[in-house]
Amino acid sequence: MTFDLQQFAIGVAWVVSVVGLGLWVWSWFLEKDAVRRIRLLDCGLVLISSAVLLRIVAQEKSMSILDWAMAFLAPLFIAAALWRLARTACPPPGK
């Protein structure tokens, strides 16, 4: 059995997807603080969107309409989530 980088990347993408889904579930059911809940949702969104993009890049079949839509929308969602994470990273000065 030889090491296949493509299979390894797809496996890592699935693990990252499960971690992102876990963050979503944690934020919906176990987190009481509103800011921390939004941050967990954003972290989960970044992980899941990144994993989807990695699986799209690693696939061997031609891209479908859904793949093209995800390839266009996922970076937008990632950028929006990272922007919101940066905005909620530290409390404003003086508080």
Side-chain angles (χ1 to χ4, degrees), residues 1-94:
M1 183 171 170
T2 62
F3 179 75
D4 186 15
L5 188 59
Q6 182 178 5
Q7 290 296 329
F8 177 73
I10 291 173
V12 168
W14 280 110
V15 170
V16 169
S17 293
V18 169
V19 171
L21 185 62
L23 288 173
W24 274 358
V25 170
W26 182 280
S27 69
W28 287 334
F29 298 114
L30 300 173
E31 189 56 53
K32 302 298 183 224
D33 184 35
V35 174
R36 197 171 296 146
R37 180 180 303 132
I38 294 295
R39 290 183 58 80
L40 286 171
L41 284 170
D42 287 341
C43 288
L45 177 72
V46 168
L47 288 174
I48 290 173
S49 298
S50 303
V52 166
L53 283 176
L54 180 58
R55 283 194 298 274
I56 288 172
V57 168
Q59 72 184 357
E60 293 180 357
K61 66 179 182 81
S62 61
M63 290 177 60
S64 68
I65 295 296
L66 182 62
D67 292 335
W68 282 106
M70 288 304 296
F72 177 72
L73 292 175
L76 297 175
F77 285 126
I78 291 170
L82 289 176
W83 178 78
R84 196 159 63 176
L85 281 168
R87 296 276 312 221
T88 59
C90 298

